[in-house]
Amino acid sequence: MNVRGIEYQHIIRRIFGEVKNYGREQIQVNCPKCQERDGLPEPDGKFNLEINTAIKKFHCWKCDEPRFYGNVSRLIRLYGSKYDYDEYISYSGVDFFNSKNNDEDIEKYIAPVRLPNEMILFSNMDINNKRHIEAYQYLINTRKISRDIIFKFRIGFCVEGKYANRIIIPSYNKFGDVNYFVGRTYLKGVKPTYLNPVVNKNLIIFNEGIINWDSTVYLVEGAFDALSFPINTIPLLGKSLNKTLSRVLKEKKPNVIIVLDPDAFKENLKLYHEIKLLYSDCPEKVRYVTLDGDNDLDEIRRLKGKREVINQIRKAKEPTDIDLIRASTIIGNNKKKWDWINIL
Ligand SMILES: [Zn+2]
């Protein structure tokens, strides 16, 4: 029988070591993504990464968030050397890797996030450099963020490169690796206000590395909100729960207090309901705060001080009956129902 793809199987063995069913069209190796995710020093020995050398596709049975699959060229490009890749291309003839959309896919789902090369930590800034001082003054004077917080959260800035004139607020995962960052301009009139890396946001928990799941966890909207109340606080980077955070909450069930912006009453309740469903046996652990007035946490702190932020958060509660009726109508994003009940 003619085994399709046999001519390049040795490249796969060179990259991954042990190959199951070597010499057949359907082979298996240990998945490097699984190894990375589980933080293992060695391959996991499970051979979950399936490769069909005839159709030149691969697929890991275990990786699901995100799924890890695609063309063999991509796999080799990711884990092999340039030599491996060039040799593979000489056999396979077609460079799938460079075909449309692939680069974007890889950036979105595969490539690790790295802080901008040009980033300077505030702890390393040059006080004689006007541009450094400009960035620093933005945080201290305009955002009213303290030095302690700036150093503690390893905040930096860029004066050149793609993220020039932006404050960089990094996020670290539980292994201490960067998993995201927020790039906020400190110059007036610059668009976009925020420039963040392109990643699948479903995969990250902002600052997961410093969250204590045995203590009360606060959920807020943005990174600056989190810096306003930096006590075990996770910025959602939006108003909804991503899949990873949802999974971790369900597993660890910490006390949760949701503090969305005052314009987000609906989303606040929706989130409350969503998390309560995850906490089937202990729904009382979930509470939320409706902020008074129109200001978000960051504005409250800047205008009225830290004490007022704490006062507001102390008012965390379970929703009233009326809140719940409102909430139940919006589950499932039933906008019509919601608009209707809101008029009453
Ligand atoms: Zn895998």
Side-chain angles (χ1 to χ4, degrees):
M1 194 184 79
N2 180 23
V3 176
R4 291 165 297 172
I6 184 75
E7 68 279 4
Y8 65 79
Q9 289 195 1
H10 68 280
I11 305 173
I12 290 169
R13 185 160 63 189
R14 193 161 66 215
I15 298 169
F16 295 97
E18 212 180 335
V19 177
K20 253 195 191 167
N21 292 311
Y22 189 83
R24 300 190 194 171
E25 287 185 355
Q26 191 83 14
I27 59 178
Q28 299 85 27
V29 298
N30 290 314
C31 174
K33 275 274 152 202
C34 287
Q35 184 188 339
E36 261 170 59
R37 188 184 48 241
D38 297 337
L40 302 172
E42 305 274 349
D44 62 10
K46 303 220 169 95
F47 296 93
N48 280 321
L49 192 78
E50 194 90 36
I51 302 168
N52 186 310
T53 61
I55 59 169
K56 300 171 189 160
K57 299 273 185 200
F58 75 92
H59 173 216
C60 172
W61 299 113
K62 201 178 165 200
C63 288
D64 61 359
E65 277 181 16
R67 288 170 64 202
F68 185 43
Y69 66 103
N71 296 318
V72 168
S73 58
R74 179 157 131 197
L75 186 67
I76 292 179
R77 180 67 170 255
L78 281 169
Y79 292 99
S81 62
K82 186 173 184 308
Y83 174 77
D84 295 324
Y85 182 68
D86 289 344
E87 195 192 350
Y88 172 75
I89 292 305
S90 76
Y91 291 118
S92 72
V94 182
D95 188 355
F96 288 106
F97 182 83
N98 289 328
S99 68
K100 225 175 133 198
N101 296 331
N102 239 342
D103 278 344
E104 200 182 309
D105 283 354
I106 287 194
E107 191 182 354
K108 206 165 176 181
Y109 294 108
I110 312 254
V113 175
R114 294 212 170 79
L115 291 175
N117 284 331
E118 302 84 2
M119 186 185 106
I120 300 165
L121 283 169
F122 279 102
S123 50
N124 294 334
M125 75 173 192
D126 173 4
I127 55 164
N128 296 314
N129 186 319
K130 257 184 163 172
R131 297 189 66 193
H132 292 198
I133 292 298
E134 185 180 27
Y136 184 66
Q137 283 182 335
Y138 170 79
L139 278 187
I140 295 284
N141 297 336
T142 311
R143 306 297 310 207
K144 296 200 161 47
I145 297 198
S146 71
R147 276 171 62 93
D148 290 355
I149 299 282
I150 293 172
F151 293 159
K152 184 179 168 199
F153 286 86
R154 291 185 261 179
I155 299 174
F157 61 99
C158 294
V159 292
E160 47 193 25
K162 183 177 174 186
Y163 295 91
N165 305 315
R166 290 178 186 276
I167 300 292
I168 305 292
I169 305 175
S171 159
Y172 294 87
N173 67 15
K174 58 185 168 188
F175 305 112
D177 300 322
V178 173
N179 63 356
Y180 197 69
F181 63 85
V182 165
R184 170 55 159 101
T185 178
Y186 53 83
L187 298 183
K188 280 208 176 101
V190 172
K191 295 285 169 197
T193 310
Y194 287 92
L195 185 62
N196 307 332
V198 178
V199 297
N200 182 348
K201 281 204 224 157
N202 263 319
L203 300 178
I204 57 155
I205 297 176
F206 198 97
N207 268 343
E208 182 183 17
I210 53 169
I211 295 301
N212 175 2
W213 300 101
D214 295 326
S215 180
T216 298
V217 171
Y218 296 87
L219 303 180
V220 300
E221 286 191 27
F224 278 102
D225 295 322
L227 295 178
S228 288
F229 190 72
I231 302 172
N232 222 27
T233 310
I234 301 174
L236 298 171
L237 307 169
K239 298 180 197 293
S240 57
L241 210 56
N242 74 38
K243 283 184 191 161
T244 302
L245 182 55
S246 172
R247 184 169 47 74
V248 175
L249 289 177
K250 188 176 179 180
E251 184 197 320
K252 305 199 186 270
K253 296 191 174 62
N255 287 315
V256 161
I257 295 181
I258 307 160
V259 197
L260 299 192
D261 295 354
D263 65 359
F265 173 76
K266 278 195 272 187
E267 290 85 353
N268 218 344
L269 278 177
K270 184 164 184 274
L271 209 55
Y272 169 82
H273 242 255
E274 234 179 292
I275 299 175
K276 231 169 104 155
L277 286 175
L278 302 173
Y279 281 50
S280 47
D281 53 337
C282 48
E284 71 285 353
K285 285 180 148 186
V286 190
R287 285 177 297 158
Y288 79 105
V289 173
T290 309
L291 296 174
D292 293 341
D294 299 327
N295 297 321
D296 63 29
L297 272 189
D298 181 46
E299 290 159 342
I300 292 171
R301 183 188 51 83
R302 276 188 281 151
L303 300 169
K304 298 178 183 163
K306 242 193 287 188
R307 189 164 291 275
E308 181 58 20
V309 170
I310 293 166
N311 283 342
Q312 296 262 342
I313 285 176
R314 279 220 185 102
K315 294 191 296 189
K317 57 169 185 178
E318 294 183 37
T320 61
D321 286 351
I322 290 174
D323 289 341
L324 284 176
I325 292 167
R326 292 174 112 188
S328 67
T329 62
I330 56 175
I331 297 305
N333 265 334
N334 196 329
K335 191 177 177 309
K336 262 191 191 160
K337 257 191 180 174
W338 166 253
D339 289 343
W340 178 77
I341 199 108
N342 217 12
I343 293 165
L344 295 180

